[in-house]
Amino acid sequence: MTFPPLLKVAVEVPAWPAVDRARWRLAALQDATGRAATVAGAGLAGAGLLADQAVTGPCLVATAAATLAGLVTLRAWRPVGHQRATASVLYLMPGAGLAVLLAAERIVSGPHWGEALALAAWTVWTWVIRPAQLARRMLAPPPAPVVLADEDEVEEPLDRHPAARWWAVNVAVDGGPGTGTALEGIELTGERAMRAMIRSTVPGEPVPDISVRRLSALMDIPEEDIAITSVPGRGAGVRLLTVGQADEVLDARAIWAARIAPLAMPGSVITEINLGPVMNGEIDA
């Protein structure tokens, strides 16, 4: 008689910050308890080495009780398998080693250099290797720490305009003519003309020298119809991109510079045009 194979379903458990914090606190408490137990065990073994043999008996009983109690909590609610057996053996090693030292102190009368050397080796090994901690993390690893992205590494959202997305994919990529730049403030100035701002995405760095010839090849537009110039009143971190021949009716900046500024406001320049939100083809004034 054959049975169908078991169906394995992977369930993604959502991250609970409160539970993760509690688990981290528990792991820190277990770490501190393990350190304290190592110091206490070394102190008891040292006392048994120097004092009367009557001290080693109670210390041996306390070591066995503490080790077995910790082993019960380690194995509780854990599935049976090789990993649980390996973790149990690893957890028993410090307590078993200390018990052997205490038993040797009870058998051999008086301090002995071999016992002192073994105690020093046990203390250093337990403090550095931390077998009990490794056993617990083998069966119940602590939650992964939350890695916060550095503010300088967070990418700013791209302009929603299709031209800005095209620029990001074709021009601003590594090896492109405008690596480390972004296109924003796109404004149509004619049926086949536009104006936009090229901004450096690296703070404090100027816009790199962008090859008009490469842009011409990418956009399939004559080189003489593409211009990259500085922006009046702005630094080298921004540049003005002009593509095509602007229609005089649509070019509000040209109308302002030619007709309004000389008479009404000499020396003034339009730096931004806001037409308000456009919805369903209508301009909400």
PDB file of all heavy atoms in Angstrom, residues 37-53 55-56 59-60 63 97-99 101-106 108 110-112 115-123:
ATOM      1  N   ALA A  37      27.054  32.017  35.037  1.00  0.00           N
ATOM      2  CA  ALA A  37      27.253  30.619  35.406  1.00  0.00           C
ATOM      3  C   ALA A  37      28.700  30.193  35.199  1.00  0.00           C
ATOM      4  O   ALA A  37      29.248  29.409  35.999  1.00  0.00           O
ATOM      5  CB  ALA A  37      26.320  29.732  34.584  1.00  0.00           C
ATOM      6  N   THR A  38      29.343  30.707  34.136  1.00  0.00           N
ATOM      7  CA  THR A  38      30.754  30.376  33.910  1.00  0.00           C
ATOM      8  C   THR A  38      31.625  30.905  35.037  1.00  0.00           C
ATOM      9  O   THR A  38      32.510  30.203  35.553  1.00  0.00           O
ATOM     10  CB  THR A  38      31.216  30.962  32.572  1.00  0.00           C
ATOM     11  OG1 THR A  38      30.396  30.439  31.515  1.00  0.00           O
ATOM     12  CG2 THR A  38      32.668  30.603  32.294  1.00  0.00           C
ATOM     13  N   VAL A  39      31.381  32.158  35.444  1.00  0.00           N
ATOM     14  CA  VAL A  39      32.156  32.743  36.543  1.00  0.00           C
ATOM     15  C   VAL A  39      31.893  31.988  37.843  1.00  0.00           C
ATOM     16  O   VAL A  39      32.831  31.689  38.617  1.00  0.00           O
ATOM     17  CB  VAL A  39      31.815  34.236  36.689  1.00  0.00           C
ATOM     18  CG1 VAL A  39      32.494  34.825  37.911  1.00  0.00           C
ATOM     19  CG2 VAL A  39      32.229  35.003  35.437  1.00  0.00           C
ATOM     20  N   ALA A  40      30.619  31.649  38.104  1.00  0.00           N
ATOM     21  CA  ALA A  40      30.289  30.931  39.337  1.00  0.00           C
ATOM     22  C   ALA A  40      30.929  29.545  39.353  1.00  0.00           C
ATOM     23  O   ALA A  40      31.450  29.094  40.386  1.00  0.00           O
ATOM     24  CB  ALA A  40      28.771  30.825  39.476  1.00  0.00           C
ATOM     25  N   GLY A  41      30.888  28.848  38.209  1.00  0.00           N
ATOM     26  CA  GLY A  41      31.496  27.521  38.152  1.00  0.00           C
ATOM     27  C   GLY A  41      32.987  27.564  38.370  1.00  0.00           C
ATOM     28  O   GLY A  41      33.555  26.717  39.096  1.00  0.00           O
ATOM     29  N   ALA A  42      33.652  28.552  37.751  1.00  0.00           N
ATOM     30  CA  ALA A  42      35.098  28.680  37.947  1.00  0.00           C
ATOM     31  C   ALA A  42      35.417  29.005  39.398  1.00  0.00           C
ATOM     32  O   ALA A  42      36.397  28.498  39.976  1.00  0.00           O
ATOM     33  CB  ALA A  42      35.652  29.761  37.014  1.00  0.00           C
ATOM     34  N   GLY A  43      34.590  29.858  40.020  1.00  0.00           N
ATOM     35  CA  GLY A  43      34.821  30.199  41.426  1.00  0.00           C
ATOM     36  C   GLY A  43      34.626  29.016  42.350  1.00  0.00           C
ATOM     37  O   GLY A  43      35.418  28.798  43.281  1.00  0.00           O
ATOM     38  N   LEU A  44      33.564  28.218  42.091  1.00  0.00           N
ATOM     39  CA  LEU A  44      33.324  27.053  42.937  1.00  0.00           C
ATOM     40  C   LEU A  44      34.435  26.015  42.774  1.00  0.00           C
ATOM     41  O   LEU A  44      34.895  25.412  43.762  1.00  0.00           O
ATOM     42  CB  LEU A  44      31.968  26.431  42.585  1.00  0.00           C
ATOM     43  CG  LEU A  44      30.729  27.269  42.942  1.00  0.00           C
ATOM     44  CD1 LEU A  44      29.475  26.594  42.432  1.00  0.00           C
ATOM     45  CD2 LEU A  44      30.652  27.491  44.448  1.00  0.00           C
ATOM     46  N   ALA A  45      34.867  25.802  41.530  1.00  0.00           N
ATOM     47  CA  ALA A  45      35.943  24.837  41.312  1.00  0.00           C
ATOM     48  C   ALA A  45      37.242  25.332  41.941  1.00  0.00           C
ATOM     49  O   ALA A  45      38.025  24.534  42.492  1.00  0.00           O
ATOM     50  CB  ALA A  45      36.129  24.598  39.817  1.00  0.00           C
ATOM     51  N   GLY A  46      37.485  26.635  41.870  1.00  0.00           N
ATOM     52  CA  GLY A  46      38.673  27.181  42.510  1.00  0.00           C
ATOM     53  C   GLY A  46      38.618  27.041  44.017  1.00  0.00           C
ATOM     54  O   GLY A  46      39.630  26.729  44.675  1.00  0.00           O
ATOM     55  N   ALA A  47      37.422  27.246  44.602  1.00  0.00           N
ATOM     56  CA  ALA A  47      37.273  27.085  46.045  1.00  0.00           C
ATOM     57  C   ALA A  47      37.480  25.629  46.450  1.00  0.00           C
ATOM     58  O   ALA A  47      38.095  25.333  47.475  1.00  0.00           O
ATOM     59  CB  ALA A  47      35.891  27.573  46.484  1.00  0.00           C
ATOM     60  N   GLY A  48      36.951  24.708  45.633  1.00  0.00           N
ATOM     61  CA  GLY A  48      37.148  23.295  45.941  1.00  0.00           C
ATOM     62  C   GLY A  48      38.585  22.863  45.785  1.00  0.00           C
ATOM     63  O   GLY A  48      39.033  21.917  46.443  1.00  0.00           O
ATOM     64  N   LEU A  49      39.317  23.564  44.901  1.00  0.00           N
ATOM     65  CA  LEU A  49      40.726  23.223  44.710  1.00  0.00           C
ATOM     66  C   LEU A  49      41.573  23.638  45.905  1.00  0.00           C
ATOM     67  O   LEU A  49      42.535  22.950  46.269  1.00  0.00           O
ATOM     68  CB  LEU A  49      41.236  23.903  43.435  1.00  0.00           C
ATOM     69  CG  LEU A  49      42.678  23.615  43.017  1.00  0.00           C
ATOM     70  CD1 LEU A  49      42.851  22.150  42.654  1.00  0.00           C
ATOM     71  CD2 LEU A  49      43.064  24.511  41.834  1.00  0.00           C
ATOM     72  N   LEU A  50      41.208  24.745  46.535  1.00  0.00           N
ATOM     73  CA  LEU A  50      42.014  25.281  47.630  1.00  0.00           C
ATOM     74  C   LEU A  50      41.471  24.905  48.996  1.00  0.00           C
ATOM     75  O   LEU A  50      42.226  24.823  49.965  1.00  0.00           O
ATOM     76  CB  LEU A  50      42.086  26.808  47.517  1.00  0.00           C
ATOM     77  CG  LEU A  50      42.711  27.351  46.217  1.00  0.00           C
ATOM     78  CD1 LEU A  50      42.631  28.863  46.210  1.00  0.00           C
ATOM     79  CD2 LEU A  50      44.164  26.881  46.086  1.00  0.00           C
ATOM     80  N   ALA A  51      40.166  24.709  49.101  1.00  0.00           N
ATOM     81  CA  ALA A  51      39.553  24.458  50.407  1.00  0.00           C
ATOM     82  C   ALA A  51      39.458  22.958  50.662  1.00  0.00           C
ATOM     83  O   ALA A  51      39.974  22.133  49.911  1.00  0.00           O
ATOM     84  CB  ALA A  51      38.173  25.113  50.465  1.00  0.00           C
ATOM     85  N   ASP A  52      38.730  22.647  51.684  1.00  0.00           N
ATOM     86  CA  ASP A  52      38.552  21.253  52.066  1.00  0.00           C
ATOM     87  C   ASP A  52      37.691  20.529  51.031  1.00  0.00           C
ATOM     88  O   ASP A  52      36.885  21.133  50.330  1.00  0.00           O
ATOM     89  CB  ASP A  52      37.883  21.189  53.450  1.00  0.00           C
ATOM     90  CG  ASP A  52      37.842  19.760  53.967  1.00  0.00           C
ATOM     91  OD1 ASP A  52      38.903  19.264  54.411  1.00  0.00           O
ATOM     92  OD2 ASP A  52      36.762  19.149  53.890  1.00  0.00           O
ATOM     93  N   GLN A  53      37.818  19.208  50.930  1.00  0.00           N
ATOM     94  CA  GLN A  53      37.085  18.417  49.953  1.00  0.00           C
ATOM     95  C   GLN A  53      35.578  18.435  50.189  1.00  0.00           C
ATOM     96  O   GLN A  53      34.806  18.083  49.296  1.00  0.00           O
ATOM     97  CB  GLN A  53      37.594  16.966  49.970  1.00  0.00           C
ATOM     98  CG  GLN A  53      39.025  16.801  49.486  1.00  0.00           C
ATOM     99  CD  GLN A  53      39.468  15.343  49.498  1.00  0.00           C
ATOM    100  OE1 GLN A  53      38.768  14.490  50.048  1.00  0.00           O
ATOM    101  NE2 GLN A  53      40.628  15.078  48.938  1.00  0.00           N
ATOM    102  N   VAL A  55      33.702  20.850  50.181  1.00  0.00           N
ATOM    103  CA  VAL A  55      33.062  21.869  49.326  1.00  0.00           C
ATOM    104  C   VAL A  55      32.682  21.287  47.976  1.00  0.00           C
ATOM    105  O   VAL A  55      31.687  21.687  47.362  1.00  0.00           O
ATOM    106  CB  VAL A  55      34.007  23.067  49.155  1.00  0.00           C
ATOM    107  CG1 VAL A  55      33.381  24.132  48.267  1.00  0.00           C
ATOM    108  CG2 VAL A  55      34.359  23.647  50.511  1.00  0.00           C
ATOM    109  N   THR A  56      33.452  20.323  47.505  1.00  0.00           N
ATOM    110  CA  THR A  56      33.227  19.824  46.147  1.00  0.00           C
ATOM    111  C   THR A  56      31.926  19.047  46.013  1.00  0.00           C
ATOM    112  O   THR A  56      31.317  19.016  44.941  1.00  0.00           O
ATOM    113  CB  THR A  56      34.402  18.928  45.720  1.00  0.00           C
ATOM    114  OG1 THR A  56      34.533  17.833  46.653  1.00  0.00           O
ATOM    115  CG2 THR A  56      35.689  19.729  45.684  1.00  0.00           C
ATOM    116  N   CYS A  59      28.984  21.474  45.457  1.00  0.00           N
ATOM    117  CA  CYS A  59      29.204  22.118  44.154  1.00  0.00           C
ATOM    118  C   CYS A  59      28.883  21.160  43.005  1.00  0.00           C
ATOM    119  O   CYS A  59      28.319  21.554  41.988  1.00  0.00           O
ATOM    120  CB  CYS A  59      30.648  22.580  44.039  1.00  0.00           C
ATOM    121  SG  CYS A  59      31.095  23.895  45.185  1.00  0.00           S
ATOM    122  N   LEU A  60      29.228  19.900  43.178  1.00  0.00           N
ATOM    123  CA  LEU A  60      28.944  18.908  42.147  1.00  0.00           C
ATOM    124  C   LEU A  60      27.444  18.705  41.968  1.00  0.00           C
ATOM    125  O   LEU A  60      26.938  18.623  40.838  1.00  0.00           O
ATOM    126  CB  LEU A  60      29.629  17.584  42.511  1.00  0.00           C
ATOM    127  CG  LEU A  60      29.546  16.454  41.485  1.00  0.00           C
ATOM    128  CD1 LEU A  60      30.171  16.882  40.169  1.00  0.00           C
ATOM    129  CD2 LEU A  60      30.235  15.205  42.031  1.00  0.00           C
ATOM    130  N   THR A  63      26.004  21.803  40.232  1.00  0.00           N
ATOM    131  CA  THR A  63      26.341  21.814  38.805  1.00  0.00           C
ATOM    132  C   THR A  63      25.442  20.867  38.023  1.00  0.00           C
ATOM    133  O   THR A  63      24.928  21.207  36.952  1.00  0.00           O
ATOM    134  CB  THR A  63      27.818  21.417  38.609  1.00  0.00           C
ATOM    135  OG1 THR A  63      28.645  22.353  39.297  1.00  0.00           O
ATOM    136  CG2 THR A  63      28.180  21.394  37.141  1.00  0.00           C
ATOM    137  N   GLY A  97      32.061  18.944  31.869  1.00  0.00           N
ATOM    138  CA  GLY A  97      33.476  19.228  32.119  1.00  0.00           C
ATOM    139  C   GLY A  97      33.720  19.732  33.520  1.00  0.00           C
ATOM    140  O   GLY A  97      34.694  19.324  34.192  1.00  0.00           O
ATOM    141  N   LEU A  98      32.837  20.604  34.005  1.00  0.00           N
ATOM    142  CA  LEU A  98      32.984  21.112  35.367  1.00  0.00           C
ATOM    143  C   LEU A  98      32.762  19.995  36.391  1.00  0.00           C
ATOM    144  O   LEU A  98      33.445  19.936  37.419  1.00  0.00           O
ATOM    145  CB  LEU A  98      32.001  22.257  35.597  1.00  0.00           C
ATOM    146  CG  LEU A  98      32.066  22.933  36.977  1.00  0.00           C
ATOM    147  CD1 LEU A  98      33.446  23.528  37.226  1.00  0.00           C
ATOM    148  CD2 LEU A  98      30.982  24.010  37.095  1.00  0.00           C
ATOM    149  N   ALA A  99      31.814  19.096  36.110  1.00  0.00           N
ATOM    150  CA  ALA A  99      31.564  17.984  37.032  1.00  0.00           C
ATOM    151  C   ALA A  99      32.786  17.068  37.126  1.00  0.00           C
ATOM    152  O   ALA A  99      33.123  16.568  38.217  1.00  0.00           O
ATOM    153  CB  ALA A  99      30.337  17.200  36.566  1.00  0.00           C
ATOM    154  N   LEU A 101      35.887  18.001  36.723  1.00  0.00           N
ATOM    155  CA  LEU A 101      36.878  18.725  37.529  1.00  0.00           C
ATOM    156  C   LEU A 101      36.564  18.625  39.024  1.00  0.00           C
ATOM    157  O   LEU A 101      37.459  18.390  39.855  1.00  0.00           O
ATOM    158  CB  LEU A 101      36.918  20.192  37.105  1.00  0.00           C
ATOM    159  CG  LEU A 101      37.632  20.518  35.789  1.00  0.00           C
ATOM    160  CD1 LEU A 101      37.464  21.996  35.462  1.00  0.00           C
ATOM    161  CD2 LEU A 101      39.112  20.167  35.907  1.00  0.00           C
ATOM    162  N   LEU A 102      35.287  18.789  39.387  1.00  0.00           N
ATOM    163  CA  LEU A 102      34.908  18.719  40.797  1.00  0.00           C
ATOM    164  C   LEU A 102      35.103  17.308  41.351  1.00  0.00           C
ATOM    165  O   LEU A 102      35.524  17.133  42.507  1.00  0.00           O
ATOM    166  CB  LEU A 102      33.449  19.160  40.965  1.00  0.00           C
ATOM    167  CG  LEU A 102      33.172  20.639  40.666  1.00  0.00           C
ATOM    168  CD1 LEU A 102      31.675  20.918  40.680  1.00  0.00           C
ATOM    169  CD2 LEU A 102      33.883  21.528  41.684  1.00  0.00           C
ATOM    170  N   ALA A 103      34.798  16.320  40.529  1.00  0.00           N
ATOM    171  CA  ALA A 103      35.004  14.942  40.978  1.00  0.00           C
ATOM    172  C   ALA A 103      36.485  14.655  41.185  1.00  0.00           C
ATOM    173  O   ALA A 103      36.876  13.974  42.156  1.00  0.00           O
ATOM    174  CB  ALA A 103      34.402  13.973  39.972  1.00  0.00           C
ATOM    175  N   ALA A 104      37.336  15.172  40.293  1.00  0.00           N
ATOM    176  CA  ALA A 104      38.780  14.977  40.465  1.00  0.00           C
ATOM    177  C   ALA A 104      39.282  15.679  41.718  1.00  0.00           C
ATOM    178  O   ALA A 104      40.158  15.150  42.432  1.00  0.00           O
ATOM    179  CB  ALA A 104      39.508  15.496  39.224  1.00  0.00           C
ATOM    180  N   GLU A 105      38.742  16.859  42.021  1.00  0.00           N
ATOM    181  CA  GLU A 105      39.151  17.563  43.233  1.00  0.00           C
ATOM    182  C   GLU A 105      38.750  16.784  44.489  1.00  0.00           C
ATOM    183  O   GLU A 105      39.452  16.832  45.510  1.00  0.00           O
ATOM    184  CB  GLU A 105      38.522  18.960  43.264  1.00  0.00           C
ATOM    185  CG  GLU A 105      39.085  19.906  42.214  1.00  0.00           C
ATOM    186  CD  GLU A 105      38.381  21.249  42.231  1.00  0.00           C
ATOM    187  OE1 GLU A 105      37.432  21.397  43.034  1.00  0.00           O
ATOM    188  OE2 GLU A 105      38.768  22.135  41.444  1.00  0.00           O
ATOM    189  N   ARG A 106      37.635  16.080  44.401  1.00  0.00           N
ATOM    190  CA  ARG A 106      37.181  15.312  45.576  1.00  0.00           C
ATOM    191  C   ARG A 106      38.036  14.059  45.762  1.00  0.00           C
ATOM    192  O   ARG A 106      38.271  13.610  46.884  1.00  0.00           O
ATOM    193  CB  ARG A 106      35.709  14.927  45.404  1.00  0.00           C
ATOM    194  CG  ARG A 106      35.116  14.282  46.642  1.00  0.00           C
ATOM    195  CD  ARG A 106      33.618  14.177  46.529  1.00  0.00           C
ATOM    196  NE  ARG A 106      33.050  13.592  47.730  1.00  0.00           N
ATOM    197  CZ  ARG A 106      32.779  14.251  48.858  1.00  0.00           C
ATOM    198  NH1 ARG A 106      33.035  15.555  48.918  1.00  0.00           N
ATOM    199  NH2 ARG A 106      32.252  13.651  49.890  1.00  0.00           N
ATOM    200  N   VAL A 108      41.342  13.604  44.531  1.00  0.00           N
ATOM    201  CA  VAL A 108      42.736  13.953  44.804  1.00  0.00           C
ATOM    202  C   VAL A 108      42.764  14.937  45.967  1.00  0.00           C
ATOM    203  O   VAL A 108      42.115  15.989  45.931  1.00  0.00           O
ATOM    204  CB  VAL A 108      43.403  14.571  43.556  1.00  0.00           C
ATOM    205  CG1 VAL A 108      44.848  14.955  43.876  1.00  0.00           C
ATOM    206  CG2 VAL A 108      43.337  13.588  42.401  1.00  0.00           C
ATOM    207  N   GLY A 110      44.260  17.803  48.311  1.00  0.00           N
ATOM    208  CA  GLY A 110      45.205  18.907  48.206  1.00  0.00           C
ATOM    209  C   GLY A 110      45.263  19.485  46.800  1.00  0.00           C
ATOM    210  O   GLY A 110      44.878  18.845  45.822  1.00  0.00           O
ATOM    211  N   PRO A 111      45.734  20.727  46.665  1.00  0.00           N
ATOM    212  CA  PRO A 111      45.851  21.357  45.344  1.00  0.00           C
ATOM    213  C   PRO A 111      46.857  20.607  44.474  1.00  0.00           C
ATOM    214  O   PRO A 111      47.879  20.116  44.947  1.00  0.00           O
ATOM    215  CB  PRO A 111      46.332  22.776  45.667  1.00  0.00           C
ATOM    216  CG  PRO A 111      45.997  22.978  47.113  1.00  0.00           C
ATOM    217  CD  PRO A 111      46.117  21.642  47.761  1.00  0.00           C
ATOM    218  N   HIS A 112      46.536  20.537  43.187  1.00  0.00           N
ATOM    219  CA  HIS A 112      47.410  19.866  42.228  1.00  0.00           C
ATOM    220  C   HIS A 112      47.512  20.745  40.987  1.00  0.00           C
ATOM    221  O   HIS A 112      46.520  21.339  40.546  1.00  0.00           O
ATOM    222  CB  HIS A 112      46.860  18.482  41.882  1.00  0.00           C
ATOM    223  CG  HIS A 112      47.830  17.624  41.126  1.00  0.00           C
ATOM    224  ND1 HIS A 112      47.972  17.686  39.762  1.00  0.00           N
ATOM    225  CD2 HIS A 112      48.722  16.699  41.578  1.00  0.00           C
ATOM    226  CE1 HIS A 112      48.901  16.819  39.381  1.00  0.00           C
ATOM    227  NE2 HIS A 112      49.376  16.200  40.466  1.00  0.00           N
ATOM    228  N   GLU A 115      45.076  19.904  38.125  1.00  0.00           N
ATOM    229  CA  GLU A 115      43.705  20.374  38.318  1.00  0.00           C
ATOM    230  C   GLU A 115      43.595  21.870  38.037  1.00  0.00           C
ATOM    231  O   GLU A 115      42.613  22.336  37.429  1.00  0.00           O
ATOM    232  CB  GLU A 115      43.258  20.064  39.742  1.00  0.00           C
ATOM    233  CG  GLU A 115      43.163  18.587  40.055  1.00  0.00           C
ATOM    234  CD  GLU A 115      42.842  18.323  41.509  1.00  0.00           C
ATOM    235  OE1 GLU A 115      42.917  19.285  42.316  1.00  0.00           O
ATOM    236  OE2 GLU A 115      42.515  17.186  41.844  1.00  0.00           O
ATOM    237  N   ALA A 116      44.594  22.630  38.488  1.00  0.00           N
ATOM    238  CA  ALA A 116      44.576  24.079  38.230  1.00  0.00           C
ATOM    239  C   ALA A 116      44.661  24.370  36.731  1.00  0.00           C
ATOM    240  O   ALA A 116      43.963  25.265  36.209  1.00  0.00           O
ATOM    241  CB  ALA A 116      45.738  24.737  38.966  1.00  0.00           C
ATOM    242  N   LEU A 117      45.499  23.627  36.027  1.00  0.00           N
ATOM    243  CA  LEU A 117      45.611  23.824  34.580  1.00  0.00           C
ATOM    244  C   LEU A 117      44.314  23.447  33.871  1.00  0.00           C
ATOM    245  O   LEU A 117      43.858  24.146  32.952  1.00  0.00           O
ATOM    246  CB  LEU A 117      46.781  22.996  34.046  1.00  0.00           C
ATOM    247  CG  LEU A 117      47.067  23.128  32.548  1.00  0.00           C
ATOM    248  CD1 LEU A 117      47.431  24.572  32.209  1.00  0.00           C
ATOM    249  CD2 LEU A 117      48.200  22.173  32.136  1.00  0.00           C
ATOM    250  N   ALA A 118      43.692  22.355  34.295  1.00  0.00           N
ATOM    251  CA  ALA A 118      42.418  21.936  33.694  1.00  0.00           C
ATOM    252  C   ALA A 118      41.322  22.957  33.965  1.00  0.00           C
ATOM    253  O   ALA A 118      40.489  23.249  33.090  1.00  0.00           O
ATOM    254  CB  ALA A 118      42.018  20.562  34.228  1.00  0.00           C
ATOM    255  N   LEU A 119      41.303  23.517  35.177  1.00  0.00           N
ATOM    256  CA  LEU A 119      40.299  24.534  35.504  1.00  0.00           C
ATOM    257  C   LEU A 119      40.479  25.781  34.654  1.00  0.00           C
ATOM    258  O   LEU A 119      39.498  26.365  34.166  1.00  0.00           O
ATOM    259  CB  LEU A 119      40.388  24.876  36.985  1.00  0.00           C
ATOM    260  CG  LEU A 119      39.468  26.002  37.484  1.00  0.00           C
ATOM    261  CD1 LEU A 119      38.019  25.658  37.200  1.00  0.00           C
ATOM    262  CD2 LEU A 119      39.700  26.280  38.967  1.00  0.00           C
ATOM    263  N   ALA A 120      41.738  26.204  34.470  1.00  0.00           N
ATOM    264  CA  ALA A 120      41.990  27.381  33.634  1.00  0.00           C
ATOM    265  C   ALA A 120      41.555  27.125  32.186  1.00  0.00           C
ATOM    266  O   ALA A 120      40.946  27.988  31.540  1.00  0.00           O
ATOM    267  CB  ALA A 120      43.470  27.755  33.689  1.00  0.00           C
ATOM    268  N   ALA A 121      41.866  25.922  31.674  1.00  0.00           N
ATOM    269  CA  ALA A 121      41.472  25.587  30.299  1.00  0.00           C
ATOM    270  C   ALA A 121      39.954  25.548  30.163  1.00  0.00           C
ATOM    271  O   ALA A 121      39.394  26.044  29.176  1.00  0.00           O
ATOM    272  CB  ALA A 121      42.090  24.250  29.898  1.00  0.00           C
ATOM    273  N   TRP A 122      39.267  24.961  31.166  1.00  0.00           N
ATOM    274  CA  TRP A 122      37.800  24.902  31.112  1.00  0.00           C
ATOM    275  C   TRP A 122      37.197  26.299  31.129  1.00  0.00           C
ATOM    276  O   TRP A 122      36.252  26.588  30.389  1.00  0.00           O
ATOM    277  CB  TRP A 122      37.271  24.097  32.293  1.00  0.00           C
ATOM    278  CG  TRP A 122      35.774  24.057  32.349  1.00  0.00           C
ATOM    279  CD1 TRP A 122      34.954  23.156  31.745  1.00  0.00           C
ATOM    280  CD2 TRP A 122      34.913  24.980  33.041  1.00  0.00           C
ATOM    281  NE1 TRP A 122      33.636  23.446  31.990  1.00  0.00           N
ATOM    282  CE2 TRP A 122      33.582  24.568  32.793  1.00  0.00           C
ATOM    283  CE3 TRP A 122      35.129  26.099  33.827  1.00  0.00           C
ATOM    284  CZ2 TRP A 122      32.490  25.243  33.323  1.00  0.00           C
ATOM    285  CZ3 TRP A 122      34.041  26.769  34.352  1.00  0.00           C
ATOM    286  CH2 TRP A 122      32.727  26.351  34.104  1.00  0.00           C
ATOM    287  N   THR A 123      37.726  27.174  31.979  1.00  0.00           N
ATOM    288  CA  THR A 123      37.182  28.533  32.084  1.00  0.00           C
ATOM    289  C   THR A 123      37.350  29.302  30.781  1.00  0.00           C
ATOM    290  O   THR A 123      36.394  29.931  30.287  1.00  0.00           O
ATOM    291  CB  THR A 123      37.880  29.285  33.233  1.00  0.00           C
ATOM    292  OG1 THR A 123      37.744  28.546  34.447  1.00  0.00           O
ATOM    293  CG2 THR A 123      37.278  30.663  33.404  1.00  0.00           C
TER     294      THR A 123
END
